[in-house]
Amino acid sequence: MKKFFKGILVMAMIFALIIPAYADNDEIIIVRYAGQNRYQTAVKISKTAYEKSDTVILASGENFADALSGGQLAIALDAPILLTQKDIIPEFVLNEIQRLGATKIIILGGEGSVSAAVEENLSSLASVERLGGADRYETSRLVYEKTKALGNYKEVVIASGKVYPDALSAANYMKAKNALLLLSDGSMPETDLTPVAIGGEGALPLNGFTGRRISGNDRYKTSEKIVAETYPNASTYILASGEVYPDALVAVSLVDKLDVPILLTRKSELTDEAKALLKNKAEKVIIVGGEKTVNGKLEEEIRTLKSDKLPDQDQPGGNDKPGGNDK
């Protein structure tokens, strides 16, 4: 009798070990890359994606205007994007440039974004090139032309330079379709490549434009549409805030290295479409940024997606400006 009960106890212990392991295997793996601030997050992404890099792209961490254009150049050069303050470059950013062994630093934007003092400081580490025009659109043109000279491109993504979410989502299209990017003030920029507009007519009117346009009702729906088109079979997804730009900007390095898409998200909850996408396809989710941008509530929502029953009918995803048709 004692042997019988011992046998039952052993079997119970075995099942106790097997069942949680089986449940864990059915969950989405979540990894978070975050520093104490946007500058440290950029360094953490760089350390994750690169052991060495001949070139580093440096952009402002204080405004998005010039930085948005840098994704195409980062992909073309296989180089990380690091962030700096206007007048002071953080010591840990300098240390990362040295760790990478970079011999060239490309600054995005004029001295109003990254000062001459920062450029002079950097010149002691490596050769420095600045791509900075009179405004964000001229800077975008300079980055576009430099990147265009590095490869064979057939398409160019046109995105609003007044707001950032659609240009951030464009990283997926640029990587998957080998395309470039031009920022627009609402008018159609000159290009000899096939243009693809990203974003609704409210943010990006492009009067007379008759080409392809990818847009949803808001920034999140636009992001989801681009992901569905460019990475239909992805099993790993990068989640970054659609409410602040730095995390999604530096996550381009992961898009490039891992060949997986960025999906923009709200801080505390997923849209119904994002829930369905991750529930049905995701095996791993990489969150970029700290809990101030993508919080623990959303992380827990992802963690339980495989066991949660989704609503029978999607609800509207919100009424955002970028990506939609509202002004």
Side-chain angles (χ1 to χ4, degrees):
M1 185 64 69
K2 289 183 178 179
K3 289 183 179 180
F4 173 77
F5 283 113
K6 284 183 180 179
I8 294 293
L9 181 60
V10 169
M11 290 299 294
M13 292 174 66
I14 290 173
F15 277 110
L17 292 172
I18 290 175
I19 291 172
Y22 179 82
D24 288 345
N25 289 336
D26 198 40
E27 291 181 354
I28 297 172
I29 298 170
I30 300 175
V31 178
R32 185 188 288 267
Y33 295 127
Q36 293 182 355
N37 54 44
R38 60 190 61 186
Y39 307 101
Q40 289 186 359
T41 296
V43 167
K44 183 160 286 191
I45 294 295
S46 176
K47 287 181 176 179
T48 299
Y50 295 89
E51 291 185 7
K52 297 290 181 182
S53 180
D54 293 335
T55 303
V56 167
I57 297 168
L58 190 71
S60 170
E62 298 173 320
N63 62 73
F64 68 84
D66 298 319
L68 285 181
S69 299
Q72 59 190 316
L73 190 56
I75 292 170
L77 294 174
D78 190 19
I81 298 178
L82 296 177
L83 302 178
T84 183
Q85 295 169 291
K86 176 184 174 181
D87 295 314
I88 300 173
I89 183 165
E91 188 69 24
F92 50 83
V93 177
L94 291 173
N95 292 341
E96 177 60 7
I97 294 172
Q98 291 177 308
R99 184 195 70 82
L100 289 165
T103 57
K104 185 170 186 178
I105 300 166
I106 300 175
I107 296 174
L108 300 182
E111 293 182 8
S113 297
V114 180
S115 70
V118 168
E119 181 177 353
E120 184 177 354
N121 193 0
L122 292 170
S123 64
S124 63
L125 298 179
S127 66
V128 180
E129 178 182 4
R130 184 188 290 269
L131 298 176
D135 57 26
R136 66 191 64 185
Y137 305 107
E138 188 175 330
T139 296
S140 174
R141 172 69 60 176
L142 291 172
V143 177
Y144 162 85
E145 294 292 351
K146 183 173 182 66
T147 311
K148 187 180 178 186
L150 297 173
N152 182 22
Y153 300 93
K154 295 182 180 180
E155 290 185 309
V156 58
V157 171
I158 311 298
S160 173
K162 297 179 180 179
V163 290
Y164 54 81
D166 297 333
L168 294 176
S169 294
N172 298 326
Y173 198 95
M174 289 188 290
K175 173 62 179 177
K177 305 288 188 178
N178 193 36
L180 298 179
L181 170 73
L182 276 172
L183 297 181
S184 167
D185 60 359
S187 60
M188 183 64 203
E190 292 184 8
T191 178
D192 58 354
L193 302 179
T194 301
V196 177
I198 291 187
E201 293 181 2
L204 191 68
L206 300 180
N207 294 333
F209 176 71
T210 58
R212 288 190 63 223
R213 184 185 290 269
I214 306 172
S215 67
N217 292 331
D218 59 34
R219 64 189 69 185
Y220 306 107
K221 299 297 187 295
T222 298
S223 174
E224 289 153 9
K225 282 191 172 185
I226 295 172
V227 169
E229 176 173 336
T230 56
Y231 288 88
N233 300 315
S235 59
T236 298
Y237 297 84
I238 300 165
L239 279 191
S241 172
E243 298 166 359
V244 294
Y245 77 91
D247 297 334
L249 175 69
V250 299
V252 169
S253 296
L254 295 176
V255 174
D256 185 31
K257 285 293 189 181
L258 302 178
D259 199 17
V260 297
I262 294 176
L263 187 64
L264 297 185
T265 183
R266 301 183 183 120
K267 178 179 179 179
S268 302
E269 62 177 348
L270 297 167
T271 67
D272 288 332
E273 289 84 354
K275 286 180 188 177
L277 176 66
L278 297 181
K279 178 181 176 69
N280 294 330
K281 295 189 174 184
E283 296 175 6
K284 183 176 182 180
V285 169
I286 300 170
I287 297 174
V288 175
E291 294 209 8
K292 289 183 178 179
T293 57
V294 180
N295 69 17
K297 180 182 176 183
L298 185 139
E299 184 174 342
E300 184 59 29
E301 184 177 27
I302 297 168
R303 201 176 302 280
T304 58
L305 274 179
K306 295 291 188 182
S307 58
D308 284 352
K309 183 177 179 181
L310 293 176
D312 293 331
Q313 189 172 9
D314 289 341
Q315 299 298 318
N319 188 22
D320 255 315
K321 295 180 182 178
N325 292 320
D326 40 347
K327 295 180 181 179

